[in-house]
């Protein structure tokens, strides 16, 4: 049934591709008077960032309040919005309202842009501008999106269509490039890596004449929104381009080749921020190939980009991907720490080590990587993945912000006064200025950008959280819902509840208690309990007829000792170990009693049945929004939920049957297991 009052306020198909910047009509909330007249002082309207901010304001208030703001450059006004330069932290801003004047103060252009987006957020949520008193500043110096886009147009682990940056070896620049920049800037993103970390074939040539003009053009568009462009680099580029037949970081010819290359690159792409490097990982070449350290490799490049203000972001995803499943001593979880901790303090000051949130690989539940807090003398960046590789691939709903919050809130006991992961990557623990958060991005060429309409909440949420790590996941969810769907109360509440419950639901019907994997090899979607059990990837669950889990205690692989106390002892002790991570750290019998009094096996059965029931309830909740959200979105989400239900049942039945067959112990409640 349609609700006629809502209908004309909902975004229609064309506006839908604007996501949370759809700017459909909103209730005035007495906001109109603040945006009719705008004065700007201390900033040049010719500056691209300021110009874009002004255009966004016009577009936003035009759409939401039907106002055409009048600009009064350097003129005093007594009512309206006054933008002025003043003392605020970098990329921060103050918004103060008094007697009908809203003053936006910032010390730099980005602060103005973010302040304008803040005003638009307020209007979109039908919240009054009157009485505003806010001082906002970024929690993280770097807030980056990493695209895994390939130059043939495919996206590694992409679930929302083809790349909008590349097609058939060419760089695409069109309206979507600008919309992308607007969406990213609106949530405070200030760095973007354009291409996949696995740099192959044509992508190796991004640092050559062949692509300079187009890359420079993208860098310029992004710069207009306060975003610095970075590229992923092929560590073996000298060998594949016109350099020496080596990539040894200590070989003078190699260094000489890179020196000339960097001079050429930064001359041609002046706005370039630097490079992201995946070396010695999953078959990619790196310094280990030449008996050198990771620091040798990173520092060599860092020294050469330094004269241009460049930064080298070096990934810590280095592990042995040719493991023997029979070998119980080698533990992939240990690898990041073992490979990087020894050189802590040896990395030069424009190197940042980029560390995945967990020690394995973006599973639905992992402990926090012990490198975060282990390294105390090296710039660090947290890497998360909003592309839902292992978390439902944007078919299943999985709002990841609560998980990122858990990571950020984790107390590392690293010895600093402020010692959470948020403190470390925000630069508060060790005084680092080059640090922050990066997300492997979930966007693609689909009209709705993220495949699943509700997956856009992860893109939005990542940016908002990276800018302000004190925001609550629920607050962000509700904000996104209002921005996207308007302020209908039932819609906001339903969407927020769906988002907030989704991670727990996904966890229930997939792999239990932190063990991870059990996915279909290669595609990583859907269940295959033994899919990786006898493989070379180091991702085992070790289930037999008596129990399951990986022993990472002192008696096992000793991984627990990579944490500071008291975390190490807590994980080591089965009674104290957080239950959601129990099987990550311990191998336990199916009859082991959890705190709930249930056996481990019964917990597996129950949670899998519950997971499917929760998806059924999610579908009913969404159906309650028919006519309240745009049809196009209603249908998209309805279709995804249907596929999610199918997937959840497949997971439930395969996981439950697997453990029933292994253990020979049935479900206490006598439900159907196959
Ligand atoms: C995962 C993913 C790969 C990716 C890798 C990485 O293993 O499956 O596709 O290349 O992470 O982060 O480098």
């Amino acid at each position: 049934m349609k609700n006629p009052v809502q209908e004309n306020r909902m975004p229609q198909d064309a506006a839908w591709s604007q996501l949370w910047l759809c700017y459909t009509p909103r209730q005035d909330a007495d906001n109109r008077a603040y945006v009719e007249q705008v004065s700007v002082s201390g900033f040049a309207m010719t500056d691209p960032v300021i110009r874009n901010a002004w255009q966004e304001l016009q577009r936003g208030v035009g759409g939401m309040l039907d106002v055409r703001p009048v600009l009064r450059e350097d003129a005093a006004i007594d009512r309206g919005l006054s933008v002025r330069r003043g003392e605020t932290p970098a990329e921060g801003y103050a918004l103060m309202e008094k007697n009908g004047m809203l003053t936006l103060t910032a010390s730099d252009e980005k602060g103005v842009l973010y302040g304008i987006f803040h005003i638009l957020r307020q209007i979109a949520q039908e919240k009054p501008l009157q009485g505003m008193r806010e001082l906002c500043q970024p929690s993280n110096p770097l807030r980056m999106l990493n695209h895994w886009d390939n130059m043939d147009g495919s996206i590694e682990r992409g679930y929302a269509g083809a790349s909008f940056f590349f097609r058939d070896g060419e760089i695409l620049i069109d309206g979507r490039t600008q919309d992308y920049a607007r969406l990213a800037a609106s949530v405070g993103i200030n760095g973007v890596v354009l291409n996949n970390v696995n740099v192959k074939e044509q992508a190796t040539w991004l640092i050559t004449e062949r692509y300079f003009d187009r890359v420079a053009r993208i860098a310029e568009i992004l710069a207009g929104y306060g975003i610095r462009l970075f590229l992923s680099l092929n560590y073996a580029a000298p060998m594949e381009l016109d350099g020496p037949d080596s990539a040894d970081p200590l070989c003078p010819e190699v260094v000489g080749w890179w020196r000339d290359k960097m001079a050429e690159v930064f001359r041609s792409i002046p706005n370039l921020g630097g490079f992201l490097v995946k070396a010695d990982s999953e078959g990619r070449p790196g310094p280990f190939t030449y008996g050198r350290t990771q620091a040798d490799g990173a520092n060599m490049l860092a020294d050469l980009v330094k004269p241009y203000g460049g930064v080298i972001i070096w990934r810590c995803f280095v592990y042995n991907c040719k493991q023997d499943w029979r070998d119980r001593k080698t533990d992939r979880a240990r690898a990041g720490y073992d490979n990087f901790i020894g050189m802590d303090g040896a990395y030069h000051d424009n190197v940042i080590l980029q560390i995945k949130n967990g020690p394995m690989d973006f599973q639905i539940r992992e402990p926090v990587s012990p490198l975060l807090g282990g390294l105390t003398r090296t710039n660090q960046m947290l890497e998360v993945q909003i592309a839902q590789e292992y978390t439902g691939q944007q078919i299943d709903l999985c709002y990841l912000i609560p998980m990122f919050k858990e990571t950020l809130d984790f107390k590392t006991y690293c010895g600093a006064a402020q010692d959470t992961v948020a403190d470390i990557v925000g630069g508060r623990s060790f005084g680092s200025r080059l640090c922050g958060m990066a997300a492997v991005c979930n966007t693609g060429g689909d009209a709705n950008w993220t495949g699943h309409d509700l997956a856009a909440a992860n893109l939005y949420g990542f940016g908002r959280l990276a800018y302000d790590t004190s925001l609550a996941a629920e607050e962000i969810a509700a904000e996104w819902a209002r921005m996207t769907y308007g302020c209908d109360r039932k819609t906001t509440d339903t969407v927020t509840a769906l988002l907030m419950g989704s991670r727990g639901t996904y966890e229930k019907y997939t792999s239990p208690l932190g063990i991870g994997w059990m996915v279909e090899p290669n595609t990583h979607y859907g269940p295959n309990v033994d899919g990786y059990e006898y493989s070379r990837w180091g991702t085992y669950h070790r289930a037999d007829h008596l129990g399951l889990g990986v022993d990472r205690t002192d008696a096992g692989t000793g991984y627990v000792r990579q944490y500071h106390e008291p975390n190490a002892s807590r994980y080591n002790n089965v009674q104290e170990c957080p239950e959601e991570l129990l099987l990550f750290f311990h191998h336990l019998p199916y009859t082991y009693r959890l705190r709930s009094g249930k056996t481990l096996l019964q917990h597996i059965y129950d949670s899998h049945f519950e997971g499917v029931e929760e998806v059924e309830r999610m579908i009913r909740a969404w159906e309650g929004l028919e006519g309240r959200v745009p049809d196009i979105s209603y249908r998209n989400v309805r279709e995804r939920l249907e596929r999610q239900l199918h997937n959840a049942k497949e997971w439930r039945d395969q996981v439950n049957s697997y453990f029933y067959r292994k253990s020979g112990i049935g479900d206490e409640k006598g439900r159907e297991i196959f």
Side-chain angles (χ1 to χ4, degrees):
M1 212 184 61
K2 291 258 189 295
N3 173 341
V5 185
Q6 280 302 319
E7 199 172 25
N8 65 358
R9 303 171 63 83
M10 293 192 305
Q12 298 306 307
D13 290 20
W16 195 239
S17 67
Q18 295 293 313
L19 304 183
W20 58 86
L21 301 182
C22 58
Y23 299 139
T24 49
R26 299 299 209 271
Q27 304 275 6
D28 183 349
D30 291 331
N31 285 335
R32 170 181 299 269
Y34 293 98
V35 287
E36 280 170 339
Q37 289 197 75
V38 181
S39 79
V40 177
S41 62
F43 291 100
M45 289 309 295
T46 47
D47 179 276
V49 176
I50 298 296
R51 203 172 52 230
N52 284 331
W54 166 238
Q55 279 172 7
E56 197 68 32
L57 182 74
Q58 289 176 296
R59 181 173 181 155
V61 300
M64 293 191 286
L65 299 177
D66 198 19
V67 168
R68 283 167 181 276
V70 177
L71 179 67
R72 306 213 180 276
E73 240 178 299
D74 290 318
I77 51 171
D78 55 9
R79 283 187 75 78
L81 171 64
S82 157
V83 178
R84 56 174 66 162
R85 199 184 280 271
E87 289 283 300
T88 59
E91 300 182 60
Y93 56 91
L95 281 169
M96 297 287 176
E97 190 277 343
K98 204 176 165 193
N99 301 333
M101 272 290 279
L102 179 61
T103 308
L104 164 56
T105 312
S107 61
D108 53 35
E109 285 73 12
K110 287 192 209 178
V112 173
L113 182 65
Y114 299 153
I116 294 292
F117 276 117
H118 191 138
I119 293 171
L120 293 171
R121 263 199 308 276
Q122 194 82 356
I123 297 172
Q125 297 186 79
E126 298 177 357
K127 292 183 178 171
L129 296 168
Q130 190 183 15
M132 274 193 102
R133 296 187 73 79
E134 306 251 5
L135 175 62
C136 300
Q137 69 179 95
S139 311
N140 291 293
L142 285 168
R143 308 173 298 278
M144 301 189 61
L145 293 174
N146 291 182
H147 290 270
W148 286 1
D149 291 32
N150 298 313
M151 294 208 63
D152 63 3
S154 63
I155 302 179
E156 179 146 354
R157 312 305 176 186
Y159 311 106
S163 172
F164 52 83
F165 290 128
F166 307 115
R167 187 194 301 142
D168 300 332
E170 295 303 327
I171 296 176
L172 305 174
I173 300 174
D174 56 25
R176 202 170 176 92
T177 320
Q178 173 132 8
D179 281 345
Y180 167 79
R182 292 173 49 233
L183 287 164
S186 75
V187 290
I189 296 297
N190 68 356
V192 161
V193 182
L194 206 60
N195 60 309
N196 188 3
V197 285
N198 297 315
V199 188
K200 291 180 210 159
E201 291 140 23
Q202 286 136 317
T204 306
W205 292 78
L206 279 169
I207 51 167
T208 68
E209 195 78 17
R210 191 188 286 179
Y211 294 112
F212 281 153
D213 288 352
R214 305 285 282 178
V215 175
R217 178 72 194 114
I218 293 211
E220 194 187 334
I221 294 171
L222 295 177
Y225 286 90
I227 300 168
R228 282 187 106 184
L229 178 77
F230 290 71
L231 294 173
S232 292
L233 201 66
N234 183 347
Y235 192 79
M239 302 160 79
E240 290 177 34
L241 298 174
D242 56 354
D245 195 25
S246 166
D248 181 348
L250 302 188
C251 162
E253 287 79 45
V254 172
V255 179
W257 185 86
W258 276 118
R259 178 174 291 112
D260 295 345
K261 180 49 78 184
M262 292 308 180
E264 190 191 351
V265 168
F266 281 90
R267 202 182 324 115
S268 313
I269 317 169
N271 287 318
L272 193 70
F275 299 96
L276 175 64
V277 189
K278 170 175 178 174
D280 285 313
S281 170
E282 300 189 324
R284 309 300 302 151
F288 281 168
T289 319
Y290 303 91
R292 313 298 187 190
T293 66
Q294 297 295 300
D296 289 333
N299 291 342
M300 180 272 287
L301 291 170
D303 292 350
L304 300 177
V305 300
K306 192 160 189 174
Y308 315 101
V311 170
I312 294 296
I313 307 174
W314 191 267
R315 294 179 84 230
C316 294
F317 190 55
V318 178
Y319 69 98
N320 172 8
C321 66
K322 297 198 174 127
Q323 207 182 309
D324 185 340
W325 58 269
R326 299 167 191 84
D327 163 15
R328 282 172 185 259
K329 286 238 152 45
T330 308
D331 179 3
R332 172 166 162 182
R334 296 188 56 116
Y337 188 94
D338 286 344
N339 283 317
F340 284 89
I341 201 71
M343 299 296 285
D344 186 20
Y347 295 89
H348 293 177
D349 62 6
N350 60 331
V351 174
I352 306 173
L353 294 186
Q354 184 163 302
I355 305 165
K356 288 192 184 188
N357 61 284
M360 298 297 277
D361 195 5
F362 302 137
Q363 302 301 294
I364 188 66
R365 178 76 66 176
E366 285 186 51
V368 169
S369 167
L371 267 179
L372 294 159
L375 298 166
T376 59
R377 288 169 295 146
T378 303
N379 298 320
Q380 299 167 56
M381 184 128 98
L382 171 66
E383 177 180 312
V384 297
Q385 192 191 44
I386 54 175
Q388 294 169 238
E389 176 177 0
Y390 293 98
T391 52
Q393 303 198 350
Q394 292 149 241
I395 297 167
D396 301 31
L397 182 63
C398 193
Y399 177 57
L400 292 161
I401 308 306
M403 174 163 131
F404 303 160
K405 283 291 283 186
E406 282 169 18
T407 304
L408 290 166
D409 290 345
F410 181 73
K411 208 170 154 50
T412 64
Y413 298 98
C414 63
Q418 293 176 283
D419 68 354
T420 65
V421 170
D423 294 326
I424 291 168
V425 299
R428 293 182 294 280
S429 301
F430 313 119
S432 170
R433 309 246 306 270
L434 274 180
C435 48
M437 291 172 67
V440 178
C441 200
N442 60 354
T443 52
D446 282 358
N448 70 353
W449 299 80
T450 56
H452 193 313
D453 278 355
L454 302 187
N458 283 327
L459 179 60
Y460 181 88
F462 169 75
R464 293 285 289 130
L465 185 64
Y467 189 91
D468 183 355
T469 50
S470 75
L471 290 173
E474 185 160 10
E475 212 177 327
I476 296 174
E479 189 181 282
W480 174 81
R482 286 188 215 104
M483 300 278 298
T484 305
Y485 290 114
C487 300
D488 171 52
R489 182 71 190 270
K490 179 174 177 188
T491 306
T492 309
D493 290 351
T494 306
V495 170
T496 306
L498 281 170
L499 291 172
M500 288 305 290
S502 60
R503 189 263 184 128
T505 300
Y506 188 82
E507 184 174 27
K508 280 186 181 176
Y509 63 76
T510 57
S511 62
L513 301 178
I515 192 75
W517 312 95
M518 303 191 174
V519 287
E520 191 61 36
N522 307 319
T523 67
H524 300 169
Y525 187 76
N528 184 342
V529 181
D530 278 342
Y532 276 114
E533 196 56 17
Y534 306 101
S535 77
R536 62 184 172 90
W537 293 96
T539 54
Y540 314 116
H541 55 65
R542 307 283 190 207
D544 59 20
H545 68 295
L546 295 174
L548 87 153
V550 180
D551 186 353
R552 295 190 161 103
T553 67
D554 291 336
T557 70
Y559 164 79
V560 292
R561 291 296 149 201
Q562 295 185 342
Y563 292 91
H564 296 290
E565 288 295 1
N567 289 335
S569 298
R570 205 164 135 245
Y571 291 143
N572 194 50
N573 180 334
V574 70
Q575 257 98 49
E576 286 177 42
C577 182
E579 266 186 352
E580 67 275 9
L581 288 168
L582 209 50
L583 299 175
F584 189 93
F585 288 106
H586 299 271
H587 183 92
L588 294 169
Y590 296 121
T591 52
Y592 178 84
R593 293 259 164 214
L594 300 178
R595 276 163 220 148
S596 62
K598 285 182 192 178
T599 64
L600 176 59
L601 188 67
Q602 193 57 40
H603 170 84
I604 293 176
Y605 292 152
D606 285 353
S607 56
H608 283 76
F609 282 110
E610 278 163 28
V612 172
E613 286 156 16
E614 286 177 16
V615 178
E616 285 164 344
R617 282 203 290 278
M618 286 161 72
I619 294 177
R620 286 199 292 278
W622 183 253
E623 283 172 346
L625 296 186
E626 188 170 13
R628 287 179 181 263
V629 296
D631 285 345
I632 186 175
S633 186
Y634 180 78
R635 287 194 304 271
N636 169 279
V637 175
R638 185 72 184 74
E639 178 258 354
R640 301 272 151 167
L641 285 167
E642 214 45 72
R643 287 161 73 187
Q644 177 170 6
L645 181 61
H646 176 83
N647 189 38
K649 286 181 178 164
E650 214 47 55
W651 270 98
R652 174 194 67 191
D653 293 338
Q654 289 200 31
V655 169
N656 284 351
S657 303
Y658 180 94
F659 289 106
Y660 171 59
R661 292 178 188 184
K662 279 256 159 172
S663 68
I665 306 171
D667 172 33
E668 284 168 6
K669 298 182 187 148
R671 289 163 293 195
E672 190 170 28
I673 294 180
F674 301 88

